[in-house]
Amino acid sequence: RQHIGKIKTSCTEFDEMMGGGIESQSITEIYGEFGSGKTQVAHQLAVNVQLDQEQGGLGGSVIIIDTENTFRPDRIQQMVEGKANELGIELDYEEFLKNIHVARAFNSNHQILLVDSAMDLANELKDSDKPVRLLIVDSLTAHFRAEYIGRGTLADRQQKLNKHLHGLQRFANLNNAAVLVTNQVMSKPDAFFGDPTKPIGGHILGHTATFRLYIRKSKGDKRIVKLIDSPNLPEGEAVLAVTRDGIVD
Ligand code: ATP
Ligand code: MG
């Protein structure tokens, strides 16, 4: 078994809560309302995974399965510039963008297929100087939610999500990669999906995602991230801020 890697989040409290960062060989789910910062955290990790180990990264590249068309190269540039300032070194954002492989998923079936493509790409890059060490699915559930409407299809949806998650876990294991998935929760009751405070796919995700994080807005640019479920860490909370430079203390 390979050594578990950890990707720092750029927030000290967050890293401490996670026992050092987002782990490889695991799925980490981050869930929260719209605008809570899930995609921001995903962008930050796509930058940080590329840093050297001493800088909090894994010296790897990243694959993003983008289901809502919310990947923003400009945002990566801001975060790379922020990181360069923080570390007092020069970083070339174009290099960072090259190591972010973005695939748009047009529907849930396509999304599942893209994990196979991700596996192929990871195999290709395995012996390169930037092996894939992070796979992001942002959002894990949006297509499923849109396509499976009504009670009758809930079991089908759960079954497909489950299959998808098994594919993601396999990716994490075979590539010693971290997998980060986002999941939106509703602020208002949803006629089809029941309890608004529970993430979509609650039950099945609850058993598969190794680390579950709940993120919510606080004052100004502050966000509170709560570790809800982990195999080996106590529950806890961390405060972070989302700024132009990215995620910060
Ligand atoms: P959704 O469920 O809709 O996908 P999300 O949880 O992914 O939402 P994000 O897109 O991560 O939400 O967060 C958007 C918020 O991040 C903005 O409302 C803003 O507060 C903050 N943000 C985004 N870009 C910047 C920036 N360049 N500088 C500062 N804050 C920013
Ligand atoms: Mg988002």
Side-chain angles (χ1 to χ4, degrees), residues 33-40 75 78 184 223 243-244:
E33 279 181 42
F34 73 94
S36 55
K38 303 180 292 293
T39 297
Q40 298 304 309
R75 193 63 183 120
Q78 292 176 352
Q184 197 189 63
R223 302 288 191 278
T243 69
R244 187 183 194 279

Side-chain angles (χ1 to χ4, degrees), residues 19-244:
I22 304 296
E23 280 193 5
S24 69
Q25 301 173 36
S26 288
I27 300 175
T28 299
E29 175 195 359
I30 184 161
Y31 68 95
E33 279 181 42
F34 73 94
S36 55
K38 303 180 292 293
T39 297
Q40 298 304 309
V41 171
H43 277 68
Q44 187 69 59
L45 287 165
V47 169
N48 292 3
V49 69
Q50 301 186 41
L51 300 169
D52 295 336
Q53 220 148 340
E54 315 81 72
Q55 298 165 336
L58 295 175
S61 55
V62 49
I63 298 172
I64 301 181
I65 298 179
D66 182 9
T67 78
E68 297 182 300
N69 202 16
T70 53
F71 176 72
R72 294 288 175 274
D74 292 359
R75 193 63 183 120
I76 296 297
Q77 182 178 357
Q78 292 176 352
M79 288 177 173
V80 171
E81 287 168 2
K83 189 53 76 180
N85 281 335
E86 180 199 323
L87 296 173
I89 54 175
E90 282 197 22
L91 297 172
D92 176 5
Y93 83 89
E94 286 183 345
E95 277 302 313
F96 279 75
L97 278 177
K98 268 186 215 155
N99 296 317
I100 302 175
H101 307 276
V102 184
R104 296 262 327 265
F106 299 108
N107 55 49
S108 65
N109 283 325
H110 187 215
Q111 183 177 328
I112 291 169
L113 281 176
L114 284 175
V115 181
D116 295 336
S117 313
M119 197 73 88
D120 293 343
L121 181 57
N123 279 329
E124 266 174 50
L125 294 175
K126 205 144 208 164
D127 299 316
S128 75
D129 63 335
K130 281 280 187 295
V132 178
R133 302 301 303 277
L134 174 64
L135 173 62
I136 292 167
V137 186
D138 184 14
S139 145
L140 177 75
T141 43
H143 282 314
F144 288 89
R145 170 188 208 103
E147 292 165 28
Y148 292 82
I149 296 172
R151 279 268 144 199
T153 56
L154 257 177
D156 294 342
R157 190 188 74 187
Q158 291 304 84
Q159 199 180 5
K160 264 182 84 178
L161 252 179
N162 203 17
K163 181 186 160 209
H164 187 30
L165 283 160
H166 276 99
L168 292 171
Q169 183 63 58
R170 192 163 163 270
F171 184 96
N173 294 345
L174 291 178
N175 298 292
N176 192 12
V179 172
L180 179 78
V181 303
T182 71
N183 193 358
Q184 197 189 63
V185 291
M186 302 272 100
S187 53
K188 294 201 182 85
D190 181 308
F192 292 125
F193 293 97
D195 186 342
T197 65
K198 296 280 191 323
I200 304 163
H203 225 66
I204 299 232
L205 276 186
H207 289 289
T208 315
T210 320
F211 297 91
R212 314 191 74 207
L213 297 162
Y214 175 57
I215 186 167
R216 66 182 194 272
K217 280 186 187 167
S218 185
K219 280 201 180 118
D221 58 7
K222 296 269 192 280
R223 302 288 191 278
I224 297 166
V225 186
K226 190 170 182 178
L227 180 61
I228 301 287
D229 203 20
S230 139
N232 57 335
L233 296 168
E235 289 194 357
E237 276 193 353
V239 181
L240 57 83
V242 182
T243 69
R244 187 183 194 279

